[in-house]
Amino acid sequence: MSFSPLVDRLLESLRVLPGVGPKSAQRMALYLLERDREGGQRLAAVLAQALDEVGYCQRCRTLTEEDICGICRSPRRDDGILCVVESPADMLAIEDAGGYQGQYFVLHGHLSPLDGIGPEDIGLDQLEARIDAEAVGEVILATNPTVEGEATAHYIAAQLDGRQLRLSRLAYGVPMGGELEYVDGGTLSRAFNGRLPFQSE
Amino acid sequence: MQPEPAFLLHKRPYRETSALVDLLTLGHGRVRAVAQGVQRPGSRSRGRLQPFAPLHVTWVGSGELKRLRLMESTGSAALLAGEGLLCGLYANELLARVLPLELPGREVFAFYSATLEALPRPEARASALRRLELALLELLDAEPRFRDLNDGELDPQRRYVYRGEARAFETLPPGASQGLDGRTLRLLASGQWEAPGLAGPAKALTRAALMPLLGARPLRSRELMQRLAARRHGAPS
């Protein structure tokens, strides 16, 4: 048995969402149609508006419906430190962790020669122009600790070579609450190489 | 099947939690497989399945696309950074582009792992890459033959340019300054790829020999390296 054409189209459309298969799509559609039409209407309106209006911040390239996002506009943030991340989700993770008061730059990807993704695809020219235009004193390369993230960090570092600024990379380490026995060899050896002086205070 | 030594050449996301992987294996050459569940957050194999890390894998399926079953890391990945990392990406891109699926080549595998060991040392990189390229060319029956277009001996006094499609050298007119000189080519022919001063010609030669195999699409990792080199020397890229 199948539903009417419009309901079928709704089921099909819901499946664009990650993790949603035919069964979950059916549950969601029936829920909205039978139990919460008002919520469904709100969802439809917000979804349409967001898809229409949300773009990239002109300064840091994160997702926002404004020209310049809230963090970039904030007078309380330190414009002298710039943290380069691969995705808006990484930026959010750093914000949630707290403690960082500088600015961001979002690449929306990483260099990946085998996928044909080059420097021009991840806005590295824009990053360089921004660093030259603003008085940035430190650039934190917070790309992922993967081969592609490493390659991206290396490329940015080489691109910025010769400028008067501090370049840093996130440290590799053992996860909090982790047990050495279960940490993979690569992480452990890097944590060893990057060990810090012991501080009791 | 027995666990097979392998290296990950490339991984791209497939469906929601799986990945499509290209592996270089010891006995079966390049193998393409689906690795199920490795993109799931917190998956233990996620960290294991990284390029340059020695693995042992088994798979099922007889078609072109296998299903990866077991995956164990055997030792830690070479700690590649900077220039060495880009060279590693170059090796991966080259193999993924040129090596046909399931063409066994033990030499290529051996030289690939030797290359990974050499990459952290800048002075060892070039010769390791050349040996890998040469092993690859030999496997594909495309290694240069040190003869001229008429199948004659190379003259040490003349200069030549390599013609990949003919696998032979075209003689340049006397007094030409481009190309490679016959004396250098004779040294390369006798296998002296690491002799002083031969690094440049060897690189030019393997590149010319690989050209017909790569087709029109350039290698992106090489472009990346060239751009960085151009920046470093202050030349416009």
Side-chain angles (χ1 to χ4, degrees), chain B residues 90-131:
Chain B
Y90 163 76
N92 283 7
E93 189 181 7
L94 181 66
L95 291 173
R97 281 276 298 277
V98 170
L99 198 60
L101 283 174
E102 295 184 63
L103 175 69
R106 284 175 180 263
E107 286 75 22
V108 170
F109 186 88
F111 282 118
Y112 179 79
S113 32
T115 302
L116 292 188
E117 272 164 42
L119 286 182
R121 288 172 288 135
E123 72 288 351
R125 266 173 217 156
S127 60
L129 283 174
R130 293 302 88 76
R131 265 176 300 202

Side-chain angles (χ1 to χ4, degrees), chain A residues 18-19 111 113-121 128 147 150-151 154-155 158-159 182 190 193, chain B residues 9-10 16 44 51-52 79-80 82-83 85-86 89 92-93 96 220-221 224 227-228 231-232:
Chain A
L111 289 181
L114 278 83
D115 295 308
I117 301 172
E120 61 285 350
D121 302 309
E128 198 179 4
V147 165
E150 254 353 294
H154 169 67
Y155 192 91
Q159 200 181 19
Y182 299 112
R190 288 193 183 215
N193 290 337
Chain B
L9 295 178
H10 186 46
E16 272 147 39
R44 281 181 61 91
F52 315 130
L79 293 180
L80 296 183
E83 205 62 33
L85 179 63
L86 292 184
L89 287 175
N92 283 7
E93 189 181 7
R220 296 298 297 255
S221 44
L224 211 57
R227 263 202 233 188
L228 274 186
R231 277 180 161 273
R232 205 158 292 146

Side-chain angles (χ1 to χ4, degrees), chain B residues 195-219:
Chain B
L198 290 192
K203 186 172 175 180
L205 182 54
T206 52
R207 180 178 299 186
L210 286 166
M211 198 100 85
L213 301 173
L214 284 167
R217 212 152 41 96
L219 286 170

Side-chain angles (χ1 to χ4, degrees), chain B residues 38-57:
Chain B
V38 290
Q39 298 288 95
R40 204 169 282 141
S43 157
R44 281 181 61 91
S45 359
R46 189 193 180 118
R48 226 179 287 152
L49 195 62
Q50 292 290 333
F52 315 130
L55 302 167
H56 267 97
V57 296

Side-chain angles (χ1 to χ4, degrees), chain B residues 25-226:
Chain B
T25 65
L26 177 62
H28 295 75
R30 185 163 71 94
V31 169
R32 182 166 289 169
V34 177
Q36 282 172 326
V38 290
Q39 298 288 95
R40 204 169 282 141
S43 157
R44 281 181 61 91
S45 359
R46 189 193 180 118
R48 226 179 287 152
L49 195 62
Q50 292 290 333
F52 315 130
L55 302 167
H56 267 97
V57 296
T58 62
W59 60 81
V60 288
S62 50
E64 203 165 79
L65 189 64
K66 323 281 187 207
R67 201 149 52 83
L68 205 60
R69 284 285 288 280
L70 172 91
M71 190 168 44
E72 274 171 19
S73 66
T74 52
S76 64
L79 293 180
L80 296 183
E83 205 62 33
L85 179 63
L86 292 184
C87 291
L89 287 175
Y90 163 76
N92 283 7
E93 189 181 7
L94 181 66
L95 291 173
R97 281 276 298 277
V98 170
L99 198 60
L101 283 174
E102 295 184 63
L103 175 69
R106 284 175 180 263
E107 286 75 22
V108 170
F109 186 88
F111 282 118
Y112 179 79
S113 32
T115 302
L116 292 188
E117 272 164 42
L119 286 182
R121 288 172 288 135
E123 72 288 351
R125 266 173 217 156
S127 60
L129 283 174
R130 293 302 88 76
R131 265 176 300 202
L132 174 64
E133 288 166 342
L134 223 74
L136 185 61
L137 286 167
E138 271 168 28
L139 177 68
L140 300 175
D141 200 20
E143 77 275 18
R145 281 186 299 232
F146 292 91
R147 312 286 287 182
D148 69 17
L149 286 180
N150 304 317
D151 202 27
E153 290 259 343
L154 298 182
D155 180 351
Q157 308 298 329
R158 300 291 292 268
R159 295 187 79 86
Y160 295 90
V161 62
Y162 185 67
R163 293 278 167 242
E165 51 301 346
R167 289 178 64 192
F169 290 85
E170 182 185 327
T171 318
L172 291 174
S177 60
Q178 74 272 41
L180 300 165
D181 68 87
R183 204 179 54 83
T184 305
L185 291 176
R186 284 198 164 190
L187 283 174
L188 290 178
S190 61
Q192 300 180 46
W193 292 74
E194 278 139 73
L198 290 192
K203 186 172 175 180
L205 182 54
T206 52
R207 180 178 299 186
L210 286 166
M211 198 100 85
L213 301 173
L214 284 167
R217 212 152 41 96
L219 286 170
R220 296 298 297 255
S221 44
R222 185 190 286 154
E223 279 183 348
L224 211 57
M225 280 192 272
Q226 281 167 342

